[in-house]
Amino acid sequence: MKTWQNVASLYQIYPRSFQDLNGDGVGDLNGITFRLDYLSDLGVDAIWISPFFTSPMTDFGYDVADYQNVDPIFGGLDDFRMLLDEAHARRIKVMIDLVPCHTSDQHPWFVESRSSRDNPKRNWYVWRDKHNGKEPNNWRSLSGGRAWTYDETTRQYYLHSFLPTQPDLNWDNPEVRQAMQNVVRFWFDMGVDGMRVDAIWGISKDPELGDDSVNSNFYGDPDSYGAFVHDHCKHGPHFREYLHELASVCDEYDDRQMVFEFYPDEQLGDIWPQYREVIQAHPKSSTFFMEHRQNDWHGERTGWNIVNYLQACGDNLPFFCVGNHDQPRVRSRLGFERARALQFLNLLCPGVSVIYYGDEIGMENGQLTDADIRDNFSPNHTPVDSRDLERTPMQWDDTRFAGFSEVKPWLPVNKNRTFINVTEEKKNVYSILNLHRNLLQLRKDMPIFRDGSLEIIHSTGNGFILGIKRELETERAYIFINFADAPQSFFIPEDAEIIASTHSLDLIFKEKSNLTIPGYCGILLIK
Ligand code: NOJ
């Protein structure tokens, strides 16, 4: 049985950047509560809040020092309970982030673990001796550099798949798995409706800690993460077993959902089957569709990716995304028109359509200088590769700090706030914001968009057009996306009626079974 029966959309909030209510330049939980009416009016059914737990913030909350408390910068547990109640009062479900593979180095578990080799928590993390005077193996960290840091206190290395301040938990230790399951229960008992599960590939690694293979297709820095095929440092032999255990916790509760972070890994080949086996055994679990981040602009491949993902999901709820807090803004990657076409498509895909905060108003990457960079994953501390680009403050209005805060925010507000902002776009019937609102309303009103089947239409006779047929009982919907920059004509079912499009109807020509739409247009018809 599918869970989250009434959820057709999920809105991701990066809490530092959504709304600052206490005037310190950083967003907070009360800020989110304050903006719930906006989300409800937009037509959002569920929110996912990126980490707000106690943390020294070296990775802005993905370095957790207490899994069961709120960092003072975001508020307190009572603020979270209020947010939960207020969201539920508006029939909005609340999903939070679970960060199971690593803690902060300030977490009491790690503080104990590093204190001595015979501490009871020693085996909660991965400690190893030097190997020939060096790191135990060649594993690299995703945030740059080696995945091992030498700790003078006990003269051993500890493993960290990300920053040195994010030591990896040892999931082969049953106590660790138990502790993490209890974290899930803590939040589910409080009434949280779902968990987005971070970096799940790290729960099992090669127990022998063998070297990763060299990636012979890589021509960049031979020392970097991409220079290796990650055939030993992730998806180890116990991956499915531990994932099953974690997903089972969700089965203990009614109507909860778990969504695993998942990115295809070309070097490793098809890793889907490992996930598919688990999610199909646990109907309340799923993974995210992140193929759009590849920026591949090709109708046929896009359709193929969607169908592939849906097949892998089986009966489980799909989660379609175009961006998140780790990817440059979709509008900056593709340009306004192409991004809008993709967002249109995303809002008409089955299951849950996920919106990263600000994408609904077409926010662009921030305009940042070296001095603005806060993300420690940027190896050179330059804006070029920094995730800060997609984390700038939400643009509510055209004022100096965009209605996000009364004071200078932690990251600069984009100058384009003067025309890209909620207040302005609410007034414009053709804005991307109103396009989102209309399509989200359709998703609510017409179950076909959440629950209907999806099939690629191969008969448009036009290679630039991605055609999709959705079907539920006697209803049929047709979605066409023009991947070319010039108008295209193609065939449609004669009696289908246009009900939404990215472009004004003045630019669309329909004559019986012939339809002509502008470049980068998305159109929805119903029969
Ligand atoms: C994936 C998260 O999305 C990212 O933001 C974070 O830095 C890493 N995992 C480490 O937790």
Side-chain angles (χ1 to χ4, degrees):
M1 208 231 357
K2 279 187 188 168
T3 44
W4 277 29
Q5 290 291 348
N6 299 319
V7 177
S9 62
L10 173 70
Y11 186 95
Q12 183 192 352
I13 295 175
Y14 196 66
R16 292 182 77 80
S17 304
F18 196 57
Q19 178 67 58
D20 168 25
L21 221 58
N22 67 353
D24 60 1
V26 177
D28 39 55
L29 294 179
N30 288 336
I32 300 175
T33 308
F34 174 71
R35 293 293 185 182
L36 282 173
D37 283 337
Y38 164 76
L39 297 171
S40 165
D41 184 52
L42 181 62
V44 161
D45 301 318
I47 54 175
W48 149 28
I49 313 171
S50 291
F52 49 81
F53 318 107
T54 313
S55 163
M57 303 289 166
T58 60
D59 188 13
F60 294 125
Y62 283 98
D63 47 330
V64 182
D66 182 350
Y67 284 97
Q68 302 183 354
N69 217 331
V70 173
D71 194 276
I73 199 135
F74 296 122
L77 270 178
D78 283 341
D79 297 319
F80 181 74
R81 287 194 189 94
M82 184 166 81
L83 163 55
L84 199 57
D85 288 348
E86 291 292 323
H88 287 166
R90 291 166 179 79
R91 296 178 187 282
I92 294 177
K93 292 198 188 288
V94 177
M95 169 180 272
I96 64 171
D97 234 290
L98 178 73
V99 190
C101 291
H102 47 266
T103 65
S104 157
D105 61 348
Q106 306 299 307
H107 195 294
W109 298 340
F110 188 72
V111 173
E112 274 197 50
S113 183
R114 87 186 318 175
S115 66
S116 75
R117 289 194 185 204
D118 51 17
N119 185 280
K121 290 274 184 315
R122 185 66 171 182
N123 194 28
W124 280 47
Y125 295 83
V126 186
W127 292 96
R128 286 294 184 282
D129 287 330
K130 283 184 179 171
H131 179 68
N132 298 332
K134 291 199 194 133
E135 287 83 2
N137 62 24
N138 70 355
W139 294 359
R140 296 302 198 269
S141 144
L142 252 156
S143 51
R146 294 277 185 159
W148 297 96
T149 288
Y150 189 67
D151 196 46
E152 287 294 345
T153 323
T154 54
R155 292 179 312 284
Q156 274 193 318
Y157 280 97
Y158 65 87
L159 179 66
H160 50 88
S161 297
F162 295 93
L163 294 167
T165 52
Q166 294 171 291
D168 281 21
L169 281 160
N170 172 17
W171 267 63
D172 292 326
N173 181 342
E175 286 176 5
V176 168
R177 304 203 298 277
Q178 197 59 51
M180 210 45 69
Q181 289 164 22
N182 288 338
V183 171
V184 177
R185 290 189 186 102
F186 172 82
W187 292 104
F188 279 173
D189 286 342
M190 194 186 288
V192 163
D193 305 283
M195 298 259 166
R196 174 265 188 186
V197 189
D198 183 72
I200 196 68
W201 46 260
I203 55 176
S204 175
K205 291 149 181 142
D206 171 12
E208 307 296 325
L209 301 183
D211 276 347
D212 277 339
S213 312
V214 171
N215 178 358
S216 51
N217 296 321
F218 185 80
Y219 300 103
D221 174 3
D223 241 6
S224 62
Y225 190 77
F228 296 86
V229 177
H230 308 110
D231 46 3
H232 291 266
C233 71
K234 30 157 83 166
H235 296 127
H238 298 290
F239 179 74
R240 296 169 214 221
E241 176 192 338
Y242 299 162
L243 202 57
H244 266 299
E245 268 181 24
L246 187 65
S248 308
V249 185
C250 214
D251 300 338
E252 296 168 14
Y253 295 81
D254 278 348
D255 206 25
R256 306 301 155 101
Q257 182 73 42
M258 241 182 207
V259 192
F260 303 117
E261 186 186 22
F262 170 82
Y263 293 104
D265 186 330
E266 276 170 27
Q267 304 304 331
L268 283 183
D270 190 6
I271 50 176
W272 246 121
Q274 309 191 33
Y275 288 81
R276 185 172 47 220
E277 179 193 308
V278 176
I279 69 170
Q280 294 199 350
H282 300 276
K284 297 174 184 173
S285 66
S286 194
T287 61
F288 288 105
F289 174 87
M290 285 304 298
E291 296 279 0
H292 291 324
R293 78 170 182 145
Q294 308 286 3
N295 303 334
D296 183 21
W297 193 250
H298 191 283
E300 206 177 323
R301 279 198 296 271
T302 301
W304 188 84
N305 283 337
I306 290 173
V307 168
N308 234 11
Y309 168 69
L310 287 173
Q311 271 167 9
C313 283
D315 284 339
N316 294 37
L317 200 54
F319 285 77
F320 281 96
C321 312
V322 293
N324 66 24
H325 62 294
D326 295 329
Q327 317 300 327
R329 288 273 175 192
V330 63
R331 178 169 176 173
S332 300
R333 286 187 273 129
L334 298 174
F336 174 65
E337 293 211 303
R338 295 201 292 181
R340 184 178 56 182
L342 203 62
Q343 288 171 285
F344 184 86
L345 171 63
N346 209 57
L347 286 162
L348 294 170
C349 277
V352 176
S353 176
V354 187
I355 302 163
Y356 179 53
Y357 87 93
D359 279 353
E360 79 278 19
I361 54 168
M363 273 177 64
E364 293 180 332
N365 283 347
Q367 299 136 325
L368 307 175
T369 64
D370 288 8
D372 295 323
I373 298 306
R374 300 284 175 268
D375 178 17
N376 288 318
F377 279 30
S378 323
N380 308 314
H381 256 67
T382 66
V384 184
D385 53 3
S386 174
R387 299 177 300 177
D388 291 336
L389 292 171
E390 60 268 19
R391 298 175 179 180
T392 57
M394 177 69 180
Q395 293 165 208
W396 297 102
D397 59 37
D398 65 358
T399 58
R400 188 166 172 218
F401 300 129
F404 163 75
S405 177
E406 297 281 298
V407 301
K408 192 170 174 239
W410 73 287
L411 281 175
V413 172
N414 199 312
K415 292 197 186 66
N416 63 24
R417 70 179 190 282
T418 51
F419 54 98
I420 300 179
N421 69 63
V422 172
T423 314
E424 199 56 41
E425 293 189 28
K426 269 190 178 170
K427 294 185 232 156
N428 174 359
V429 277
Y430 297 114
S431 68
I432 179 105
L433 177 62
N434 278 318
L435 183 69
H436 274 77
R437 196 202 304 251
N438 295 342
L439 294 180
L440 288 173
Q441 191 59 48
L442 273 182
R443 290 182 79 79
K444 277 188 192 302
D445 295 345
M446 302 179 63
I448 183 173
F449 293 115
R450 194 195 114 113
D451 297 325
S453 62
L454 180 147
E455 195 184 306
I456 302 295
I457 303 169
H458 294 284
S459 58
T460 54
N462 182 324
F464 292 114
I465 299 291
L466 168 64
I468 286 176
K469 180 171 152 195
R470 305 283 320 270
E471 206 166 359
L472 186 69
E473 291 158 12
T474 55
E475 262 181 334
R476 282 189 187 84
Y478 300 90
I479 302 139
F480 297 100
I481 308 289
N482 183 359
F483 276 76
D485 60 358
Q488 299 293 324
S489 299
F490 52 94
F491 300 107
I492 53 160
E494 194 173 326
D495 45 353
E497 187 196 333
I498 301 173
I499 59 165
S501 68
T502 51
H503 289 62
S504 149
L505 288 182
D506 298 346
L507 302 168
I508 292 165
F509 304 99
K510 182 169 175 281
E511 169 114 32
K512 295 194 178 152
S513 59
N514 205 284
L515 188 68
T516 304
I517 59 173
Y520 303 143
C521 176
I523 191 159
L524 168 68
L525 300 101
I526 243 162
K527 205 171 117 167

